[in-house]
Amino acid sequence: MADGDARGLEEQAAAAAEAARELREAAAALAVRRAADEDALRRRAVALDGDLRRLQGSVAALEPAALDKVEEDLERAKLAILDSDVAAFLPNKGNGKFLKKFVGPVNVRIARKEDKLKVKDEYNNYRDRAAYMFLLFPSILLLLRWWVWDGCLPALAVQMYQAWLLFLYTSFALRENVLLVNGSDIRPWWIYHHYLAMLMALVSLTWEIKGQPDCSSKQKGVQLFLRWAIMQGIAMHLQNRYQRQRLRTRIALGKAKRMDVVAGETAGVEGQLLLLYPVLFVLQGFEAYVGVLLLQTAWHGLTSEWQVAVCGILLVVMAVGNFVNTVETLVLKLRFKAKMKRTKPRQDPGQAGPNRPHQN
């Protein structure tokens, strides 16, 4: 290589090294400025959040006429913070024990709002797919039981279904814990419910599935559980459709955050509520019935497996917890409707007749 070419390469290498040094210093300076700006925003966000909490604790002394207006303003201010990028500057809730068991002390809080919404949308899509599987998987097992397996479910097929349930409820719990860390509003019971369902699926994997003779009697609990799972799939479809429709309305009205995945206190569409809640109550009653049936089987000594008693207890506990939380949600909806009727401004008699229905 000629001396001129060598000197040219040396100069280019030195220039590249100098450019890399300058770029590194610029990036470091930018990081320092960004950290200072984020720290300033964090102090402002924490101070404003504290002011809102203090004001919310003082509104009880107001007159009823002014109370609703002040509460509405405070709620909108709170949503403006929580439903924007400002939420990233508030103190982190932490992962929680369950999440730490799976991912360790890794921070799963997402900074950008768009990325948070992608996580929520994926959770909703996953619920939709799970609802279809809740319908298809047990339906196929029950149909094959009559058409192929001569009325007797094989142990491998049932255990595959139970393994899928364990995977499903574990993934539900993980996704919901991540959503909680990122600001979603999820009732604690529904996450605890998935913990109990995980335990039941794990216990049922060790449950011996007995065959002939008298297969129909020995597998009665399994057959009832599969029928309950089909009803669960129907209820999940109704819940997904109802909650998503109501959540879009609440977000448009400024009553909910875009990261919320459930609607706890809103007034629902009457036709959907009249269909959804009876289905939920029937499902919970059937779940309790299957649990009691398993407990009776264990109590009368018809089976010696301890898994029967444990699954029966878990089913009853989940049914009672689901019923209590469903009733609480319904009561909140009715209270919210009553509040809306009290605060609804009176219409001008010249603009609307006395029998004109109110449009929610």
Side-chain angles (χ1 to χ4, degrees):
M1 182 179 293
D3 293 340
D5 293 339
R7 283 195 298 271
L9 286 176
E10 290 176 359
E11 291 174 356
Q12 292 177 13
E18 180 65 17
R21 184 187 63 80
E22 293 176 355
L23 185 60
R24 182 188 63 186
E25 292 176 352
L30 176 61
V32 171
R33 292 196 303 271
R34 181 182 296 172
D37 291 342
E38 289 181 353
D39 189 58
L41 285 174
R42 185 174 293 106
R43 288 196 299 268
R44 290 176 58 187
V46 171
L48 181 56
D49 184 62
D51 291 340
L52 290 176
R53 294 177 185 275
R54 177 179 55 80
L55 291 172
Q56 286 177 331
S58 304
V59 297
L62 295 176
E63 296 293 331
L67 179 61
D68 292 331
K69 179 65 170 62
V70 173
E71 285 183 338
E72 183 177 355
D73 289 340
L74 291 176
E75 185 65 23
R76 290 189 176 182
K78 184 178 179 181
L79 284 175
I81 293 176
L82 298 179
D83 201 27
S84 66
D85 292 327
V86 179
F89 298 104
L90 294 175
N92 196 346
K93 296 179 180 179
N95 289 355
K97 294 181 179 179
F98 180 82
L99 208 53
K100 288 180 180 178
K101 295 292 184 182
F102 284 88
V103 301
V106 178
N107 183 17
V108 297
R109 192 173 188 180
I110 304 170
R112 296 183 60 206
K113 194 66 184 179
E114 293 78 8
D115 295 332
K116 289 184 179 182
L117 294 175
K118 288 180 181 178
V119 174
K120 190 203 79 167
D121 291 340
E122 174 55 29
Y123 170 78
N124 287 332
N125 294 333
Y126 189 69
R127 281 181 59 92
D128 290 338
R129 296 193 298 268
Y132 285 115
M133 290 300 296
F134 254 107
L135 281 172
L136 291 176
F137 211 146
S139 299
I140 292 173
L141 288 178
L142 289 175
L143 289 174
L144 291 178
R145 170 178 173 264
W146 288 109
W147 293 349
V148 178
W149 295 324
D150 297 326
C152 190
L153 289 165
L156 178 61
V158 176
Q159 288 174 343
M160 288 177 59
Y161 175 65
Q162 292 164 341
W164 175 78
L165 285 179
L166 177 60
F167 167 79
L168 176 71
Y169 286 122
T170 303
S171 59
F172 268 149
L174 283 171
R175 290 167 184 258
E176 288 163 355
N177 274 275
V178 172
L179 287 170
L180 271 180
V181 172
N182 286 281
S184 292
D185 182 18
I186 305 176
R187 279 178 175 264
W189 162 252
W190 302 120
I191 300 181
Y192 297 145
H193 170 270
H194 289 152
Y195 295 160
L196 295 175
M198 287 167 51
L199 178 60
M200 185 183 68
L202 182 61
V203 170
S204 63
L205 274 173
T206 66
W207 185 353
E208 182 183 0
I209 307 298
K210 295 183 178 180
Q212 301 290 1
D214 197 17
C215 178
S216 178
S217 176
K218 294 176 181 177
Q219 295 186 354
K220 185 177 181 180
V222 177
Q223 297 166 25
L224 286 173
F225 182 82
L226 292 176
R227 293 188 178 97
W228 169 82
I230 295 173
M231 295 177 62
Q232 173 79 353
I234 296 173
M236 285 180 67
H237 275 293
L238 293 174
Q239 283 180 305
N240 292 347
R241 181 178 178 182
Y242 164 72
Q243 290 175 352
R244 205 160 301 168
Q245 178 177 343
R246 289 307 303 163
L247 187 57
R248 285 195 294 265
T249 302
R250 294 186 70 221
I251 292 173
L253 294 173
K255 301 292 185 181
K257 307 188 297 294
R258 287 181 293 169
M259 279 301 294
D260 288 351
V261 293
V262 294
E265 73 281 4
T266 59
V269 180
E270 294 296 336
Q272 288 182 336
L273 288 181
L274 291 176
L275 175 63
L276 176 61
Y277 278 95
V279 170
L280 289 177
F281 288 134
V282 170
L283 177 68
Q284 292 155 9
F286 192 70
E287 183 179 23
Y289 168 72
V290 175
V292 171
L293 181 66
L294 293 177
L295 287 175
Q296 287 179 342
T297 302
W299 179 263
H300 294 297
L302 299 179
T303 180
S304 59
E305 288 89 354
W306 59 271
Q307 295 91 336
V308 176
V310 173
C311 289
I313 293 173
L314 290 174
L315 280 172
V316 172
V317 171
M318 287 189 290
V320 172
N322 290 340
F323 176 78
V324 170
N325 276 267
T326 303
V327 170
E328 288 179 352
T329 302
L330 183 58
V331 169
L332 287 173
K333 291 178 184 294
L334 296 176
R335 287 179 180 173
F336 183 81
K337 287 190 68 176
K339 179 180 178 181
M340 291 297 293
K341 289 180 180 179
R342 289 196 307 267
T343 58
K344 182 181 67 175
R346 295 182 179 275
Q347 292 180 332
D348 185 356
Q351 296 178 355
N355 295 324
R356 181 177 178 178
H358 172 63
Q359 298 294 327
N360 286 330

